[in-house]
Amino acid sequence: MKHLGLLGRYLPEFGAIIGQMQHDLFHIYTVDAHTLQLVENLRRLWLPEFKQKFPISAQAIRHVAKVELLYIAGLYHDIAKGRGGDHSELGCVDAQAFCERHGLSKRDTELVVWLVRNHLFMSVTAQRKDISDPEVIWEFASYVKDQEHLDYLFILTVADINATNPTMWNSWRASLMRQLYLETKRALRRGLDFPIDADMISDEHKQRALEIIIERNVDIMEAEAIWETIEEEYFIRSNGDEIAWNTEAILRHRPSDKPLIAITPLVDVIFLVPVKFLFTP
């Protein structure tokens, strides 16, 4: 439809973004090309070869009630770029007009408009906020409100990032998005009337670390002696596997005057973690 000139005639607002450049450090496509690539990414989530690369998104898209709402939100998420002002807010007007013109229900229209308005919200939260902070997760979950909105927003966000340029989606962003999605899902299941208890999370992480330490025949007394020198925030922000790994590294290293640098593989990326900064002597 785009190549034949029909899409721009059918959707005049889309015709206005054809060939429009995006002057930033991230987008390498014109607005219309980026938009259609996003829609293509949504379709690809149904293909077996993409299920392995995007397991959570591929599973979520198979459970949403109306996948067509994702396509509409995808078409309109950047429709107002180049007009001046907040393109997310301006795009809501066009998206709502499209839905009403095509006879969508009020509920479906509200969902599409919500997605257009908030299409950047999840990626911004994942990349710019401390999503290991229980309060950040609770605030995000309170805004999303339910699993349905979380699933739609997560799928749209993943498709959007992957339509920006081929290098944007990497193990780091994938890990952040996965963590935010799963932690929010957990918070929603717990209920928004019950904010995440930081002490409970800390205790869960410590318990998991102890189980690992016991399996590896590490001295529990020595491990707990190290933990007593650490601020509680560390146990909230680090999972049990990380705590156990760091603790073992410290115990193996003692006694020594040399700095301790621990290395662990994560997906295809190697992170160098200066453990001496995590623990106070």
Side-chain angles (χ1 to χ4, degrees):
M1 289 178 70
K2 177 192 171 185
H3 290 313
L4 294 175
L6 296 177
L7 189 56
R9 296 290 297 275
Y10 177 56
L11 303 175
E13 56 272 32
F14 187 88
I17 62 171
I18 292 178
Q20 183 180 102
M21 296 299 297
Q22 304 193 67
H23 303 286
D24 58 42
L25 299 176
F26 307 107
H27 293 81
I28 65 172
Y29 306 112
T30 56
V31 181
D32 59 317
H34 162 72
T35 298
L36 294 180
Q37 183 62 52
L38 187 159
V39 174
E40 176 64 13
N41 288 342
L42 293 173
R43 186 193 70 84
R44 287 175 175 173
L45 289 175
W46 293 92
L47 304 179
E49 57 266 34
F50 284 86
K51 190 174 182 179
Q52 184 174 2
K53 185 176 181 181
F54 307 104
I56 299 178
S57 305
Q59 181 180 20
I61 201 171
R62 286 165 170 78
H63 289 89
V64 298
K66 297 182 179 180
V67 71
E68 62 270 21
L69 302 183
L70 278 169
Y71 289 105
I72 297 171
L75 275 174
Y76 277 89
H77 82 291
D78 276 353
I79 203 79
K81 279 197 169 180
R83 298 185 196 171
D86 186 341
H87 75 280
S88 298
E89 290 295 335
L90 295 173
C92 290
V93 178
D94 291 337
Q96 181 163 347
F98 173 90
C99 293
E100 292 174 351
R101 191 163 66 243
H102 289 78
L104 271 70
S105 68
K106 181 180 179 181
R107 185 174 185 277
D108 290 348
T109 299
E110 289 177 349
L111 178 55
V112 170
V113 170
W114 186 87
L115 288 171
V116 173
R117 175 177 288 113
N118 295 287
H119 71 274
L120 297 174
F121 182 52
M122 192 168 193
S123 61
V124 169
T125 301
Q127 297 177 65
R128 298 183 184 179
K129 293 189 176 183
D130 183 2
I131 57 175
S132 63
D133 185 340
E135 187 173 343
V136 171
I137 297 299
W138 184 81
E139 289 176 354
F140 181 79
S142 297
Y143 187 84
V144 172
K145 289 186 173 57
D146 56 49
Q147 186 66 44
E148 179 185 43
H149 283 76
L150 176 63
D151 285 340
Y152 275 102
L153 184 59
F154 177 73
I155 297 165
L156 182 65
T157 304
V158 171
D160 189 16
I161 294 174
N162 280 273
T164 302
N165 72 55
T167 63
M168 280 290 288
W169 187 257
N170 51 35
S171 59
W172 174 69
R173 285 190 172 85
S175 177
L176 290 177
M177 290 294 297
R178 179 173 59 250
Q179 180 181 346
L180 179 55
Y181 176 84
L182 293 177
E183 290 293 341
T184 304
K185 184 176 182 178
R186 182 182 179 187
L188 291 171
R189 284 181 175 177
R190 182 183 293 108
L192 298 177
D193 292 332
F194 302 94
I196 299 173
D197 189 332
D199 291 335
M200 181 181 68
I201 291 179
S202 174
D203 290 341
E204 288 179 357
H205 290 172
K206 286 180 180 178
Q207 182 60 39
R208 170 58 181 162
L210 281 175
E211 293 172 359
I212 297 172
I213 286 172
I214 292 172
E215 290 176 0
R216 297 177 181 174
N217 296 317
V218 176
D219 191 303
I220 297 177
M221 298 292 288
E222 291 185 3
E224 291 182 334
I226 292 175
W227 292 357
E228 289 177 0
T229 67
I230 310 169
E231 293 183 0
E232 198 65 21
E233 186 177 359
Y234 166 76
F235 297 101
I236 297 172
R237 300 176 186 277
S238 304
N239 61 43
D241 297 275
E242 293 168 341
I243 295 169
W245 174 68
N246 285 326
T247 304
E248 284 187 87
I250 289 289
L251 291 174
R252 286 197 304 267
H253 188 66
R254 290 181 172 180
S256 175
D257 294 330
K258 297 179 180 179
L260 171 59
I261 303 292
I263 304 174
T264 182
L266 177 59
V267 192
D268 295 325
V269 182
I270 299 296
F271 287 92
L272 302 180
V273 182
V275 179
K276 66 175 182 176
F277 293 118
L278 297 178
F279 295 85
T280 55

